Structures are given as C-alpha cells and as structure tokens.
Amino acid sequence: MKQKRNSLYIFSITLVAAIGGLLFGYDTAVISGTEKSIEAYLIEPLGLGSLAHGATISSALIGCIIGGIVSGYFASNFGRKYSLIVAAVLFLLSALGSAYPEFLFFTKGEPSLPLLLMFNLYRIIGGIGVGLASAIVPMYIGEIAPADIRGRLVSFNQFMIIFGMLVVYFVNWGIANGQSLEWINNIGWRYMFASEIVPAFLFCVFLLFVPETPRYLAIKNQDDKALNILTKINGSLEAEAILSEIKQTVKVSINSEKLFAYGKLVIVVGIMLSVFQQFVGINVALYYAPRIFESMGAAKDASMLQTIVMGLVNVIFTIVAILTVDKWGRKPLLTIGSIGMAIGMFGVAGMAFLNIIGISTLIFIIIYTAAFMLSWGPICWVLISEIFPNRIRGQAVAIAVAAQWAANYLISSTYPMMMEYSSGLTYGFYGLMSVFSALFVWKFVPETKGKTLEQMENEWKQTKVDHHEVV
C-alpha cells in the first residue's frame, strides 16, 4: 500500500524545532524585565556607569554573532539535529547561570567585578545558543518541509520568536506584579532568568525524538535513513523521486563544497537579505519602543500600552505571512513589505520634522511594524533556509546569519547617537533603506515558491553558467 504524506508528523517535528525560535525570542527579550535590577544589583554598587550597563545589557548580542559564525561548522559536522541539542544545552546553562551567577565562586549579595564578568559570560553563552538556533532552526525546517508548504513552516519559526518575546513579557510582569522594588532587585530578576529553564529543558528532551534532516543524511551517504524519513514526510510515492533529486546534487566533485562553487551572487543575496532585514530599523522599533513613545510625549503607562499594541500587531501580521507565503510567493510579500515600511518610516520622519506628536505617529509605526511582520520578518528566514545549495548550506547560512547579528548590533548601538543628531533624519534613513530593500528584491532575489531545494540549486548553477558566458 502506498503511503501518503503525514501532516501530523511534519507539524510535530516543525513544532519541536520551532521551540528553538521561541527560545531565541525568550532569551533576547528576558533582559527587558531584568535590566534595571541588574543595574541596581551589579552596576551601581561597583560605581560603574552607563557604558558598563549598556555593555552588560547587550552582551548576549556578542554571543549571537559567535553562534551565527560557528553554526556552519556545527551544522556541517554534527548535523542539524545535534547542533540544535547543543543550542538547547547552551540555553539551559545560560538560564541557570544568569539566574544565579554566584554559583561555586561567589557569595550571594556581594557584587564584584568578577561576578559582573561571570554574569556577562552566562549571557554570552545564551547568545551563542540564540545564534545557533537562528541559523539552524530555519535550515532544519527548510530541509524537512515539502516544497509546497515550506514557506509556511519556516515562517512558523518567526511566529514562535515573536510569541517567545510576548510570553516573557507576561512572565516578567507576573513575577514583578505586586512585589516590592527591593525584592525585584534582589530576587525577582533571578526568577525571570530562571523561567527560561522550562522551555530550554523541554526543547532538549523533545529534540531527542525528532529525526535528522534527509538532506544532511544524503550528504553523509546514509540513503536508507534519508529515504525512511522522506517516506514518513512525503509518502512513498514522492520519497524516492525526492531522494534521487537530492543525490544528484550531492554526487558532485569535492570542489562543490567550496563556498563560491555556485557563484558569488547566491552568497551576496543571502548576506544582503540579512543586512536589509536589520538596516530597515526593526530592532530599533522593538528594543526601544517604550522609549520612542515616551520621547514622542506618551506617559510611561501609555508607552507600555502602545508597546503591547505593537506586540499584538506583530503576532497578527506574522500569521498573515504564514497563511500567504506559499500562495503569493516570497518576492511579492517582500516588495509589499518594503513599500509599507518606507511609508511608515517616512511618515514617522515627517512627524518628527514637523514636531507633531500624537496618534498619527503611532499609526505610522504600526504601518511600519505590520509591513515588516508581513514580509521581511518571516520571509528573510524562509529565503535563507532555501536559496543555498545542499553542499554549502551550512557554511552559507552561517555567514548570512552572522552578518545579520552584526548588522543588528550596528543599527541598535548607533540609534541613540543618531537620535541625538536628528530624529527626523534617523527615521528617514530607515525609510531609505526600506526603498533600497525593495529595489534589491526586484533586481536580485529569485522566487522560490513551490520549488524543491534541489531545483533552486540547479537555478544557481545555470545563473553561474550564464554569468560566465556573458563574461
């Protein structure tokens, strides 16, 4: 009897992998609730200033860049599944260590510079987990998913990132609610970090029950295992044809493992997708949202409420992207998103130049955020998971993701300085980047909707041949 596609199995393993996305969001957002307590507990008693505070709050980003860089080595040498297990263990260690950095070497309640450095080390360890997960989760889902629903399944990872951020905001609020400031600054922040132990532990356990990806198994010449998984996912009718297609792409000379074996354009496209995703200014909108609203004249409570409104917008429009990415395609969504982001950011810039503060500014920020979550938020990860050929996917994704975290750090760290110079010009710059991102998509990004990963690989081979013929 011919076996059919197992939708429940596909969704189950996608859900397990996407817990890595939830932890990505959780780990990067947990700091928002602990930031002032860390300042009170570790920074101020040591007489350190805003530089040390800023470096401590953003130290996880250093780990993210490291994790992105090493993800290719891990994915190519240990497989996608075991690399995710490494990420899960790092999340677990970071949650435990950040919650109780005094463990073994220090006395609780006695701040010191070595203790501050140890805390930063635990945050960097968590950042490495985020960097690994941000690269390998989309890669894993992309290599498992059938071509016709791949966009939807990889986009689900973005939903889980946003959901993880939303969950930790409520967890932090629940821990702090009704407690004294003294308790929060001494104890409460520890519970906030420790709360990550639960999803990190579950991620670690559930990963033991998911398979390695058939693409990786085929590269390692484990064809029987690859066929078995492809049969479970796609049904026996399609499994052998897909395996044959995969084997055609991996039965090539060792030179094909060189990064530029398929031309430089595919690598450049992957890097620029990552860079544009950050240069349009989304993390400024997410990280500094309450501050942006306060600077526009909103009271503190109102600014927090507006941040929650943005959180709901993020979730709703990410769901819209999940439902449309495999129907409309990647390029149309990215282009629509770029135009929407440009309108939003130029609108905010115009309000800033005219010194108009009010509901109109909030509307433009919501237009901008909605446009991003509909497009560049999830679709960038979808494309990064599917445009690279099988043989170079591990190292190529690593380069693209490392570029993304570096761009994230650059944009986030320059925002306060740019705002001091001119808020109008700052938002205008992000609007201009949105316009350039649309032009880049139109000119260079291929449509991948409905194509197998192997069909995409053949397109890059043809592009390289055509390029040489022109040259």
Side-chain angles (χ1 to χ4, degrees), residues 11-32:
F11 181 72
S12 300
I13 54 182
T14 299
L15 184 61
V16 170
I19 296 172
L22 182 141
L23 282 159
F24 168 171
Y26 204 105
D27 196 87
T28 50
V30 70
I31 198 76
S32 65

Side-chain angles (χ1 to χ4, degrees), residues 376-387:
W376 283 83
I379 310 303
C380 177
W381 294 112
V382 172
L383 282 165
I384 285 173
S385 75
E386 63 189 8
I387 62 169

Side-chain angles (χ1 to χ4, degrees), residues 55-73:
T56 298
I57 299 312
S58 59
S59 58
L61 278 175
I62 296 165
C64 294
I65 296 169
I66 296 167
I69 291 168
V70 301
S71 65
Y73 175 81

Side-chain angles (χ1 to χ4, degrees), residues 1-204:
M1 186 175 154
K2 295 289 185 185
Q3 197 174 328
K4 292 182 179 178
R5 178 185 288 183
N6 189 336
S7 298
L8 181 63
Y9 181 69
I10 296 165
F11 181 72
S12 300
I13 54 182
T14 299
L15 184 61
V16 170
I19 296 172
L22 182 141
L23 282 159
F24 168 171
Y26 204 105
D27 196 87
T28 50
V30 70
I31 198 76
S32 65
T34 62
E35 172 224 344
K36 286 178 182 167
S37 299
I38 295 299
E39 186 177 24
Y41 187 81
L42 282 173
I43 307 292
E44 287 173 355
L46 298 174
L48 300 171
S50 58
L51 186 66
H53 181 217
T56 298
I57 299 312
S58 59
S59 58
L61 278 175
I62 296 165
C64 294
I65 296 169
I66 296 167
I69 291 168
V70 301
S71 65
Y73 175 81
F74 277 86
S76 299
N77 289 280
F78 304 114
R80 289 37 164 163
K81 172 181 171 173
Y82 289 105
S83 298
L84 288 177
I85 291 173
V86 170
V89 171
L90 292 174
F91 283 127
L92 202 52
L93 287 174
S94 176
L96 289 162
S98 301
Y100 194 69
E102 294 92 346
F103 181 67
L104 287 181
F105 305 109
F106 304 97
T107 305
K108 189 177 175 182
E110 294 182 12
S112 64
L113 191 58
L115 177 61
L116 178 63
L117 292 172
M118 184 61 77
F119 173 80
N120 276 284
L121 177 64
Y122 285 124
R123 288 296 296 151
I124 289 168
I125 287 170
I128 295 171
V130 171
L132 281 173
S134 65
I136 296 169
V137 170
M139 192 192 307
Y140 180 91
I141 298 172
E143 290 188 349
I144 285 278
D148 61 321
I149 57 169
R150 188 175 58 240
R152 203 177 313 161
L153 294 181
V154 178
S155 296
F156 183 67
N157 180 55
Q158 174 71 16
F159 172 81
M160 290 293 272
I161 294 169
I162 298 297
F163 184 66
M165 289 178 171
L166 211 55
V167 166
V168 80
Y169 289 144
F170 282 106
V171 169
N172 285 350
W173 176 80
I175 289 167
N177 188 36
Q179 301 290 347
S180 68
L181 189 61
E182 186 185 5
W183 183 86
I184 294 167
N185 287 346
N186 286 323
I187 310 280
W189 64 271
R190 297 178 187 276
Y191 288 149
M192 293 176 190
F193 284 119
S195 66
E196 193 179 338
I197 292 168
V198 176
F201 178 74
L202 290 174
F203 187 40
C204 212

Side-chain angles (χ1 to χ4, degrees), residues 116-442:
L116 178 63
L117 292 172
M118 184 61 77
F119 173 80
N120 276 284
L121 177 64
Y122 285 124
R123 288 296 296 151
I124 289 168
I125 287 170
I128 295 171
V130 171
L132 281 173
S134 65
I136 296 169
V137 170
M139 192 192 307
Y140 180 91
I141 298 172
E143 290 188 349
I144 285 278
D148 61 321
I149 57 169
R150 188 175 58 240
R152 203 177 313 161
L153 294 181
V154 178
S155 296
F156 183 67
N157 180 55
Q158 174 71 16
F159 172 81
M160 290 293 272
I161 294 169
I162 298 297
F163 184 66
M165 289 178 171
L166 211 55
V167 166
V168 80
Y169 289 144
F170 282 106
V171 169
N172 285 350
W173 176 80
I175 289 167
N177 188 36
Q179 301 290 347
S180 68
L181 189 61
E182 186 185 5
W183 183 86
I184 294 167
N185 287 346
N186 286 323
I187 310 280
W189 64 271
R190 297 178 187 276
Y191 288 149
M192 293 176 190
F193 284 119
S195 66
E196 193 179 338
I197 292 168
V198 176
F201 178 74
L202 290 174
F203 187 40
C204 212
V205 171
F206 290 156
L207 281 170
L208 299 175
F209 299 97
V210 301
E212 182 52 85
T213 73
R215 265 87 186 178
Y216 180 78
L217 292 170
I219 288 170
K220 296 299 178 184
N221 295 313
Q222 297 180 38
D223 294 0
D224 290 345
K225 285 184 181 177
L227 183 61
N228 184 36
I229 295 159
L230 284 167
T231 303
K232 276 188 183 178
I233 293 168
N234 300 279
S236 52
L237 282 169
E238 292 182 50
E240 289 190 21
I242 294 170
L243 181 61
S244 173
E245 199 175 14
I246 294 170
K247 290 305 287 180
Q248 287 303 312
T249 66
V250 298
K251 273 185 190 169
V252 281
S253 69
I254 201 71
N255 287 335
S256 69
E257 293 191 13
K258 290 181 179 174
L259 191 60
F260 298 116
Y262 301 86
K264 291 177 182 171
L265 183 62
V266 61
I267 307 299
V268 172
V269 167
I271 291 170
M272 293 310 295
L273 280 168
S274 292
V275 169
F276 274 123
Q277 194 205 38
Q278 298 303 318
F279 271 42
V280 296
I282 187 59
N283 279 316
V284 165
L286 293 178
Y287 293 161
Y288 295 98
R291 233 178 253 191
I292 290 170
F293 292 128
E294 277 181 56
S295 72
M296 289 172 178
K300 196 159 187 69
D301 287 348
S303 73
M304 288 306 290
L305 182 64
Q306 289 169 349
T307 306
I308 290 168
V309 169
M310 279 180 63
L312 292 172
V313 169
N314 292 348
V315 169
I316 291 164
F317 282 89
T318 302
I319 292 170
V320 173
I322 291 169
L323 296 175
T324 55
V325 61
D326 288 316
K327 292 177 184 173
W328 298 357
R330 285 55 158 162
K331 285 187 77 158
L333 280 176
L334 286 178
T335 307
I336 291 165
S338 293
I339 294 165
M341 290 188 302
I343 291 167
M345 274 301 179
F346 285 137
V348 174
M351 295 294 111
F353 279 126
L354 296 170
N355 210 21
I356 297 171
I357 297 164
I359 194 73
S360 53
T361 309
L362 177 61
I363 288 168
F364 279 123
I365 287 181
I366 287 174
I367 289 169
Y368 166 81
T369 311
F372 179 87
M373 292 302 163
L374 175 71
S375 59
W376 283 83
I379 310 303
C380 177
W381 294 112
V382 172
L383 282 165
I384 285 173
S385 75
E386 63 189 8
I387 62 169
F388 298 120
N390 285 325
R391 281 279 181 179
I392 63 165
R393 187 171 297 117
Q395 51 185 324
V397 168
I399 290 167
V401 171
Q404 190 173 87
W405 284 110
N408 178 337
Y409 186 79
L410 181 65
I411 289 295
S412 303
S413 60
T414 55
Y415 172 74
M417 179 182 66
M418 288 170 70
M419 285 293 285
E420 274 182 27
Y421 182 75
S422 167
S423 58
L425 285 176
T426 301
Y427 297 124
F429 170 77
Y430 302 140
L432 192 62
M433 288 298 108
S434 300
V435 172
F436 286 155
S437 70
L439 294 171
F440 167 74
V441 169
W442 170 69

